[in-house]
Amino acid sequence: MSAPTDIGVVCPLPGGSEQACITLAHGGGGRLMRELIEGFIAPRLRLAPAALTVDAAALGPVSAPLAFTTDSYVVSPLEFPGGSIGTLAIHGTINDLAAAGARARWLSVGLILEEGLPLAVLGRVLEAMGQAAAEADVRLVTGDTKVVERGSADRMFVNTAGIGELLLREPPGPQRLQAGDTLLLSGDIGRHGATIVAARESLGLSTARLASDCAPLHGQLEALARAGVNVHGARDLTRGGLATAVVELCRDAGLAATLEAVAIPMQEEVRGVCELLGLDPLYLANEGRMLWLVPDDETDRAAAALRRAGATPSVCGRLHAGQGGEVTLVTRYGTRRALDLLSGDQLPRIC
Amino acid sequence: MSAPTDIGVVCPLPGGSEQACITLAHGGGGRLMRELIEGFIAPRLRLAPAALTVDAAALGPVSAPLAFTTDSYVVSPLEFPGGSIGTLAIHGTINDLAAAGARARWLSVGLILEEGLPLAVLGRVLEAMGQAAAEADVRLVTGDTKVVERGSADRMFVNTAGIGELLLREPPGPQRLQAGDTLLLSGDIGRHGATIVAARESLGLSTARLASDCAPLHGQLEALARAGVNVHGARDLTRGGLATAVVELCRDAGLAATLEAVAIPMQEEVRGVCELLGLDPLYLANEGRMLWLVPDDETDRAAAALRRAGATPSVCGRLHAGQGGEVTLVTRYGTRRALDLLSGDQLPRIC
């Protein structure tokens, strides 16, 4: 039997043992909620003390135009090789801002907790968030906690919103894309999606090397900005994967693209999971991969900058004139395959 | 049988009829998700088109220091007399910023939708959000949508984060509170909490006049700023109600307070619900009431400004030296009662 913490309420476990859990009273606005937030949540998130006594955080001086983004996270399972819902929430928001050309500075954290959630799980998730934010030099400045009764949520959901400062003189966007632009992929694809599905299906694969690619990508943006690369477009390759990102970018820009399968790196383990389950790795979610779109004559400079930031960039394709949204994959065998948005759902609750 | 919309998937209803609903594929990152967001969500929220093609919104020029806040909303039922989860989400974030002395400018919207949620309900909630934001001259600039399988959430949850510009030279906060400060309550209390509990319990009360007080309070802040009032503190009286707000402010400031029950306005219907269910209206949630704390000699000027903004302010108490967090209520009968944080939970999922 694990000892309850000061703020926990002891809940029975199926085996007859007990553990400290979230209860509805933790969300009621009273003493227990204050103790949960001040004594448990805030220190793990490394929240500034001011965040506890005012309804909104005053931000420091701003030195550049700002960008703003939000994401909710509902991934199942909450913890997986390479990360957790907490690391996803921090890295995902940093990366959405990076895709808009902005360096994340301030993040908010909204928690929805299900009654019965073990405090041990919540504690690990929050510690991972605090650590991920500190490592990326991002400040968690304001938060909110809600509790819903058992059966009204699946353990916990997290929302993060983020404010970043634009590092690029002109923000990337579909209106800036041009025929001839290079598609520069920052690393191998599909690891996050394959890891989640392997964890869910309890595959008998040797998946010791399979872990989520979850990582913050602000360093890549900073390197490109320092090198003065004129970034035309960027896309964080999360839900829908590489294929969806390229199709959407092309639709929004009124351009076509050709991708080269041989230039799209993939771990052997990811290929194995996809073959076993009939998944297409081009549509698998990534949580630490960016597609950078740059002018042809800046490709080498951009790739060198990305390598300095620890990435292993690969020129995986090119934009060209054509019907907007028409994307062609040249396969390893030299045949051509049209890529489009998925009409159904590949994997739910991947992030 | 209602006709499915273009993007809906028809779900069976208990009575044998059908309606268009959210399915897991709406969250999968593919075609259906794009159609849901572009064709259904964005127009109702009146989202800027740019929000659909980039991962983060570039904000316009900033003319004052910024404040940042977030809240998740899990209220049940989703719709109630006087509002819905959508109006709560917009007004709540505007009000959190107002309590920090800031005028809301930009909001993000994060949706977590349960498979099977009727599109008709989602549509009404989103339209209410778009309208509430437009009426308060606040822009919804970025959003995110997740779908979870049936049973993993209760219909829908909403997160809003907001950025505002500070209107007051010095932001209000517990460190600025002083003995002698006046507690200025912006209107009658308890209507939101009483409305939610009456809706849940299907009370046989004549509750025709009972509706949530849900409203945006930025106008009160603007009026106080224009009048040059030196606002020492402010608190949006949501979860935990007036009593919790005063206890928390006093604890954080190391001061005591005395409240006068005769100066705390309450609708007869609210009193009725509380008597019937044994609830204390001082702890009931409000969603359109602010407690402003101002220097004694600025009270009349502050009250006049609040009246110009449409409020009906009441001087309901005063801060004084004493043990930090010690709050006393002088009842209608002249007796004295100590107020503290609730140790348990009064009402779950009130906001």
Side-chain angles (χ1 to χ4, degrees), chain A residues 247 283 326-330 336-340:
Chain A
V247 172
Y283 292 89
E326 193 178 57
V327 177
T328 307
L329 177 76
V330 179
R336 299 172 77 84
R337 176 188 153 202
L339 298 179
D340 202 349

Side-chain angles (χ1 to χ4, degrees), chain B residues 238-291:
Chain B
T238 56
R239 261 185 304 188
L242 174 63
T244 303
V246 177
V247 172
E248 289 194 342
L249 282 167
C250 285
R251 284 191 176 198
D252 293 336
L255 291 167
T258 302
L259 289 173
E260 303 284 343
V262 291
I264 301 173
M266 204 182 314
Q267 267 195 342
E268 209 41 61
E269 287 78 2
V270 171
R271 206 181 298 277
V273 169
C274 285
E275 282 173 7
L276 199 65
L277 297 173
L279 298 171
D280 185 340
L282 290 173
Y283 291 89
L284 273 189
N286 312 270
E287 291 293 340
R289 295 294 176 263
M290 192 79 83
L291 184 71

